Amino acid sequence: MTIIRVAIEAVAKRAFASAVDWPGWSRSAKSRDLAIEALLAYQERYARVAQVAGMLLPRGTLEVHVDEEADGGAATEFGVPGAIAEADREPLDVVEAARRSNLVAAAWRDFDAIAAAAPEALRKGPRGGGRDRTKVVEHVVLSDHGYCRELGLRLPAPDPADAASVAAMRDAMLEVLRRPSDGSPIEKRWPARYAHRRIAWHALDHAWEIEDRDPRNQPPPVEAG
């Protein structure tokens, strides 16, 4: 059995469980325990990302070890893993920085592949809401452009429909993310480990959203609780 280290952040009606050593593998639910269940339910989907990065995520039964629990904030309540964990402040050597950056790059590749294969019109939510594919892609690319400031980058906004300009932005981000770190913020707020985690989570959250809302696929079960 393999142990997966997890950090929890929670508010009254939402909690996130994030795999400390696997950036982007973060899921939320209405409670701490349900968030852990959701995290484990996405094991196979995240294994696909790890494989793209040239890594093997342990298969089979996993044992979750909750390393830390923290109060969330407005971001958590909104649906974003916004709390910087103590584990996010740990130093990074060049090898681990490269490993985590490869997972960020794999998250982007997974998002791009899923978006490219999806139809333009995605299944709507229970109240008829939800972006279609092009709008989801625009949101992810322009959010990454916003994240550039957290990495100390001042870049022009890329055209989400121009693969070359998106790739140039991502390459600049990865150049920063591959640097070793003493655990202090890269710019003003985000330590390197948190930057890896947040950027990869956002790409994968929307990749998996597109999969779940693709009308050709079976819709996911309604969240319990």
Side-chain angles (χ1 to χ4, degrees):
M1 184 176 293
T2 302
I3 294 175
I4 298 294
R5 298 195 301 147
V6 169
I8 302 289
E9 63 180 88
V11 291
K13 296 183 179 180
R14 185 184 293 271
F16 270 93
S18 299
V20 171
D21 301 308
W22 298 95
W25 191 13
S26 300
R27 304 312 298 158
S28 71
K30 293 179 180 178
S31 71
R32 168 193 185 277
D33 291 342
L34 289 174
I36 292 172
E37 287 183 20
L39 184 78
L40 294 176
Y42 277 73
Q43 177 181 354
E44 290 302 317
R45 290 208 220 189
Y46 191 83
R48 177 180 70 200
V49 178
Q51 186 174 21
V52 169
M55 305 171 204
L56 289 178
L57 184 73
R59 300 296 181 103
T61 303
L62 302 177
E63 179 180 340
V64 170
H65 183 277
V66 177
D67 274 16
E68 58 184 287
E69 299 192 47
D71 292 335
T76 317
E77 192 167 352
F78 184 70
V80 174
I84 295 175
E86 288 304 311
D88 292 327
R89 303 183 193 279
E90 295 174 3
L92 272 179
D93 62 23
V94 67
V95 174
E96 181 61 11
R99 187 188 80 87
R100 296 172 70 87
S101 296
N102 288 342
L103 287 164
V104 174
W108 280 327
R109 289 198 293 273
D110 197 56
F111 173 80
D112 290 346
I114 289 170
E120 173 61 20
L122 300 176
R123 184 186 292 114
K124 302 303 179 186
R127 295 179 179 83
R131 304 176 181 95
D132 284 331
R133 183 198 63 196
T134 297
K135 292 298 184 182
V136 176
V137 171
E138 289 176 356
H139 168 71
V140 170
V141 171
L142 295 179
S143 293
D144 282 336
H145 179 251
Y147 298 156
C148 285
R149 288 187 171 270
E150 300 289 352
L151 305 183
L153 298 170
R154 303 294 185 268
L155 303 174
D159 176 357
D162 179 10
S165 65
V166 173
M169 177 187 69
R170 289 173 175 175
D171 286 345
M173 295 172 74
L174 288 170
E175 194 279 325
V176 175
L177 294 172
R178 289 193 176 105
R179 298 172 187 167
S181 168
D182 64 2
S184 58
I186 298 171
E187 181 75 351
K188 293 182 179 179
R189 297 192 305 162
W190 289 8
R193 287 177 182 268
Y194 178 76
H196 290 111
R197 178 161 70 89
R198 175 68 174 270
I199 295 167
W201 164 79
H202 193 248
L204 293 178
D205 190 56
H206 287 293
W208 298 336
E209 174 201 357
I210 291 173
E211 281 188 323
D212 290 342
R213 293 179 53 226
D214 188 326
R216 301 168 300 180
N217 297 335
Q218 186 73 17
V222 176
E223 181 183 292

